[in-house]
Amino acid sequence: MASDQTRSAILAAAERLYADRGFGDVTLRDIVAEANVNLAAVNYHFGSKDELIAELFVTRSIQTNRERLNELKAAEERGGGRASIEDIMRALVGPTLRGCLGPDREGSTAARFMIRASIESVPPIRRIKNREVDHLRKFAAAMRRAMPGREDTELYWGLHFALAMAHHTIREKERLLRLSEGKCDLDDVQAIIDRVVAVTVMALSKGQPAAVAPPPARPAAMHGRLTRQDL
């Protein structure tokens, strides 16, 4: 098997196994058996299990982030350089939700792998998420242009909460279905996107929130034994 074919076979096998069984239950020996290669090939191409997981996650994330940025660019072009906050949020959460939810998508290996990545969040994936934020800075900049009167802190919280709602919906869809007794339609992906966008925009469009009160000061330490009155 040629080198490129070996690498592709390893990636495809690993993605299938991780999607089916999760990150903790899959060993490198499982992967090489599935890919019909030897262990040396995995070490040669990736070096370790963590590096293999990182490669898979980066590959899928690049696709999602590219789609996000393309939608953001199109929205800003339609708005003459300034997109509406609704369109910005739609570009932010739409690709993630469409990529993982819906009857025509969620059964795919790629979607199931990304759902696993969201649920289990193993160390190599957490490191990538915490490090790769440049594309999110572009969304924050677009939000700043759309809502010049808002403080940066509020914009960052709005972006953070929108992503959190999207990822939590993906992770906990079964619980939501059971809680709502099927009333919440998790197959209507566009309606889910609309809800996440609506809640985020509503929060960002409210007046400036009141300052968070500081926690009460702790009493000064006293020397000696405490009496009942001290308690």
Side-chain angles (χ1 to χ4, degrees), residues 208-231:
Q208 191 72 18
V212 178
R218 297 178 61 184
M222 298 184 66
H223 299 290
R225 181 177 300 174
L226 291 174
T227 65
R228 183 176 298 276
Q229 286 79 7
D230 294 322
L231 301 175

Side-chain angles (χ1 to χ4, degrees), residues 32-51:
V32 299
E34 178 80 5
N36 195 27
V37 300
N38 57 47
L39 189 58
V42 177
N43 292 328
Y44 173 77
H45 286 287
F46 303 101
S48 68
K49 180 179 177 179
D50 278 2
E51 289 301 319

Side-chain angles (χ1 to χ4, degrees), residues 176-188 191 195:
L176 178 57
L177 281 172
R178 181 172 296 182
L179 175 66
S180 68
E181 298 180 334
K183 294 182 178 70
C184 294
D185 185 359
L186 273 296
D187 287 339
D188 190 347
R195 287 182 183 278

Side-chain angles (χ1 to χ4, degrees), residues 89 158-159 161-162 165 195-205:
M89 291 297 102
L159 188 154
F161 286 143
M165 281 189 284
R195 287 182 183 278
V196 172
V197 170
V199 171
T200 306
V201 171
M202 179 173 62
L204 285 169
S205 299

Side-chain angles (χ1 to χ4, degrees), residues 25-125:
D25 290 340
V26 176
T27 67
L28 286 180
R29 294 190 181 279
D30 294 329
I31 294 168
V32 299
E34 178 80 5
N36 195 27
V37 300
N38 57 47
L39 189 58
V42 177
N43 292 328
Y44 173 77
H45 286 287
F46 303 101
S48 68
K49 180 179 177 179
D50 278 2
E51 289 301 319
L52 176 55
I53 292 172
E55 176 83 10
L56 283 167
F57 183 72
V58 166
T59 299
R60 293 303 177 192
S61 296
I62 285 173
Q63 295 172 357
T64 300
N65 294 342
R66 184 181 296 123
E67 187 177 349
R68 282 174 171 167
L69 291 174
N70 285 341
E71 291 188 17
L72 176 62
K73 180 180 178 181
E76 293 206 300
E77 287 176 349
R78 288 194 304 270
R82 180 186 292 184
S84 69
I85 193 66
E86 290 86 357
D87 285 346
I88 295 169
M89 291 297 102
R90 204 174 301 281
L92 178 69
V93 302
T96 298
L97 290 166
R98 287 195 301 271
C100 292
L101 296 180
D104 60 339
R105 182 61 182 166
E106 62 188 25
S108 72
T109 300
R112 290 185 297 111
F113 172 81
M114 291 304 283
I115 291 169
R116 285 281 189 186
S118 181
I119 293 171
E120 298 187 23
S121 189
V122 289
I125 291 176

Side-chain angles (χ1 to χ4, degrees), residues 163-178:
L163 290 173
M165 281 189 284
H167 287 292
H168 190 73
T169 300
I170 292 167
R171 288 194 300 267
E172 304 293 346
K173 64 186 184 68
E174 297 297 334
R175 183 169 68 169
L176 178 57
L177 281 172
R178 181 172 296 182

Side-chain angles (χ1 to χ4, degrees), residues 108-145:
S108 72
T109 300
R112 290 185 297 111
F113 172 81
M114 291 304 283
I115 291 169
R116 285 281 189 186
S118 181
I119 293 171
E120 298 187 23
S121 189
V122 289
I125 291 176
R126 285 199 300 272
R127 286 194 292 269
I128 292 167
K129 285 183 176 179
N130 291 336
R131 184 180 68 234
E132 302 298 330
V133 296
D134 285 349
H135 75 288
L136 296 179
R137 294 189 194 283
K138 293 176 181 173
F139 277 89
M143 293 169 71
R144 201 173 292 117
R145 290 189 289 272

